[in-house]
Amino acid sequence: MEDQEMQLKVRRVSDKFTESMYVLANEPSVALYRLQEHVRRSLPELVQHKTDMQSWEEQSQGAIYTVEYACSAVKSMTNSSMYFKNIDGLLRQAISIKEQVSSSQGRRKRTIDSGIQKEGGEKHSAGM
């Protein structure tokens, strides 16, 4: 019997000790310590992730701006086709006028050259 009493007393002491350890392990100050420990371990990684995300956001914003600018340039180019057609027509008209001027200058030069030859031929004939 004494043996059973002793076991019962040991069990009670053991249970009380376990309960005390459980209370100590779950005390608020211990919980705050563990929370602080967790934050200290995970915070540098979180800061690195935040920095990476900000960098990616800046790169994305730059790419978005570039794409929007390119889209607006393409839209303005499609809207300017009317102006290019107008320029094409004016260039064709200028080429046509230049050809007319060149051909009329060529005719006038031939007329002047033939007139000079006639005058020169008459002077030579008259002088002889």
Side-chain angles (χ1 to χ4, degrees):
M1 283 240 184
E2 279 183 36
D3 201 27
Q4 286 181 345
E5 281 181 36
M6 185 62 104
Q7 284 182 350
L8 185 62
K9 287 181 183 180
V10 167
R11 185 174 300 232
R12 278 190 212 150
V13 168
S14 172
D15 287 346
K16 292 286 185 183
F17 183 74
T18 303
E19 185 181 331
S20 296
M21 291 305 289
Y22 181 79
V23 168
L24 284 174
N26 292 312
E27 187 181 4
S29 62
V30 174
L32 290 174
Y33 170 76
R34 289 188 178 153
L35 183 62
Q36 177 188 9
E37 195 175 63
H38 171 72
V39 168
R40 191 178 324 125
R41 268 189 267 125
S42 63
L43 189 64
E45 187 177 338
L46 290 173
V47 168
Q48 183 62 43
H49 284 301
K50 181 181 178 182
T51 305
D52 292 344
M53 292 299 287
Q54 287 173 335
S55 172
W56 293 337
E57 180 186 15
E58 288 173 11
Q59 290 175 357
S60 298
Q61 290 296 329
I64 289 169
Y65 174 77
T66 302
V67 168
E68 287 175 348
Y69 184 74
C71 287
S72 69
V74 168
K75 284 179 185 175
S76 66
M77 287 176 68
T78 57
N79 292 339
S80 64
S81 66
M82 172 181 61
Y83 299 111
F84 285 120
K85 289 177 183 175
N86 191 16
I87 290 169
D88 181 53
L90 291 172
L91 285 172
R92 290 179 190 277
Q93 191 178 23
I95 290 170
S96 173
I97 291 170
K98 173 157 182 345
E99 288 173 352
Q100 289 174 1
V101 167
S102 294
S103 70
S104 69
Q105 282 181 346
R107 276 188 253 135
R108 190 173 0 151
K109 187 175 181 183
R110 279 182 286 203
T111 306
I112 292 172
D113 286 345
S114 65
I116 291 174
Q117 285 178 351
K118 286 182 184 178
E119 288 178 15
E122 291 174 8
K123 288 181 184 177
H124 284 289
S125 307
M128 285 192 186

